[in-house]
Amino acid sequence: MKNKIKFSLLITCTILMFSHCIGQININKISNKVKSQIPKQKKEGSSALSNDQVIKGLKEALNVGVNIGSEKASAIGGFLKNDLIRIPFPPEAKAVRDKAMQWGLDTKVEKFERTLNEAAEEACKTAAPIFINAIKNMSVSDGFKILKGSNNAATNYLKQQTNTELYNLFLPEVKKAIEKVKLTAYWEPLVKKYNQSTRISGKETIETDLNKYVTERAVLGLFKLVAIQEKEIRENPMKRTSDILKKVFSSLDPWKVIFSKFS
């Protein structure tokens, strides 16, 4: 009986040791495979990204974002049908809208809001060259800081560096668009009637600069669309449509690539 127990223990220990060895072998295989997938850095850092390359990649991503964003914004319904960038009735003129609705001018209010967005869509047909020129001339000293920042870090940097310049350059285009879609023809009857009623009651009249309002909202809307494209380029390798985009942004996700091979 004791011999049988000893024999059983011996067999059990042998099996456990064998299983451990097999497990260790498998772990070693996986470890070696992972190591083989990690990009090997060449001597003297020749494979490392330079700051100039990163800056070039960031500007390229912004160019892509502006081109796609401008195309989407300038399409029919590009602003009106996109809740993310749709331009509402001027907030400071909310009283005008409320009064107009009370007077039964719903159709005129709706037409004004639709034309307001059409003005932005029309202006955005000329936006891409203006934005791309601003990107080209944008000064960037630390590309790595932006690259390793948030998903919209490059867009935010562009906004900080060029917002005033873009507004001043874009304003004339908005004025042309407003004239083309005859926006003021829908605005003036509403605000004129409201101001007449406020003068009688002694309240303050409304004076809204539509050129300023549409320009500010159009530029803001474009920045939002560019930010979406930047995020996609950062997260989706399929969106990296040039060699520089692939080189720069693939540096952000080597571990994502490695572990996807084991999923």
Side-chain angles (χ1 to χ4, degrees):
M1 183 66 179
K2 289 182 179 180
N3 289 335
K4 286 184 178 181
I5 292 172
K6 289 181 180 179
F7 182 74
S8 297
L9 289 172
L10 180 61
I11 293 296
T12 300
C13 290
T14 303
I15 291 172
L16 288 173
M17 289 176 64
F18 182 74
S19 298
H20 175 74
C21 291
I22 294 298
Q24 189 63 47
I25 290 171
N26 288 335
I27 290 171
N28 289 337
K29 283 183 177 179
I30 293 172
S31 176
N32 290 334
K33 190 172 184 180
V34 169
K35 289 178 182 178
S36 69
Q37 297 296 334
I38 298 176
K40 294 181 179 179
Q41 192 171 17
K42 295 178 182 179
K43 290 182 179 180
E44 298 179 358
S46 60
S47 66
L49 285 169
S50 69
N51 191 51
D52 287 343
Q53 286 175 318
V54 172
I55 292 171
K56 184 179 179 182
L58 292 170
K59 289 188 174 183
E60 175 69 12
L62 289 172
N63 281 338
V64 171
V66 164
N67 280 314
I68 295 176
S70 297
E71 184 179 342
K72 289 184 176 181
S74 61
I76 295 174
F79 272 81
L80 185 66
K81 296 180 180 179
N82 186 343
D83 290 339
L84 182 66
I85 61 175
R86 187 179 188 278
I87 303 178
F89 205 97
E92 72 275 13
K94 182 178 181 298
V96 176
R97 186 182 189 281
D98 294 342
K99 275 292 183 183
M101 298 295 280
Q102 289 175 19
W103 292 330
L105 301 177
D106 308 44
T107 303
K108 289 186 179 296
V109 169
E110 182 182 341
K111 181 63 178 176
F112 168 73
E113 290 181 335
R114 183 164 68 250
T115 310
L116 183 70
N117 285 272
E118 288 173 356
E121 292 160 11
E122 182 66 28
C124 284
K125 291 179 181 178
T126 59
I130 295 172
F131 273 66
I132 288 173
N133 189 57
I135 293 167
K136 181 181 177 181
N137 295 322
M138 181 177 69
S139 175
V140 183
S141 58
D142 189 352
F144 284 101
K145 184 176 180 180
I146 299 173
L147 179 66
K148 295 175 182 178
S150 62
N151 281 335
N152 62 344
T155 305
N156 284 340
Y157 189 81
L158 173 65
K159 186 176 180 181
Q160 293 166 6
Q161 295 289 307
T162 66
N163 194 53
T164 301
E165 175 192 1
L166 287 171
Y167 174 88
N168 292 332
L169 290 171
F170 202 39
L171 181 60
E173 301 303 320
V174 169
K175 288 180 179 178
K176 291 177 189 176
I178 284 177
E179 290 174 5
K180 184 174 182 178
V181 301
K182 298 179 172 60
L183 178 62
T184 52
Y186 301 103
W187 170 249
E188 286 179 352
L190 294 173
V191 75
K192 184 178 180 180
K193 185 171 183 179
Y194 175 82
N195 284 340
Q196 285 175 345
S197 68
T198 56
R199 287 190 188 100
I200 294 171
S201 63
K203 293 181 180 178
E204 186 178 347
T205 59
I206 296 292
E207 299 294 338
T208 296
D209 184 344
L210 290 180
N211 293 321
K212 179 176 182 291
Y213 180 62
V214 174
T215 302
E216 288 175 344
R217 297 299 297 234
V219 170
L220 178 62
L222 279 170
F223 275 129
K224 288 182 178 180
L225 295 179
V226 173
I228 290 172
Q229 295 304 316
E230 179 188 351
K231 184 174 186 292
E232 289 187 355
I233 289 172
R234 285 176 178 272
E235 294 183 347
N236 185 357
M238 298 300 292
K239 296 292 182 178
R240 300 164 192 167
T241 54
S242 68
D243 290 339
I244 190 64
L245 288 179
K246 291 172 185 175
K247 183 176 181 66
V248 170
F249 288 95
S250 63
S251 67
L252 296 175
D253 51 10
W255 287 104
K256 185 192 299 181
V257 173
I258 293 168
F259 285 107
S260 67
K261 296 180 183 294
F262 296 95
S263 60

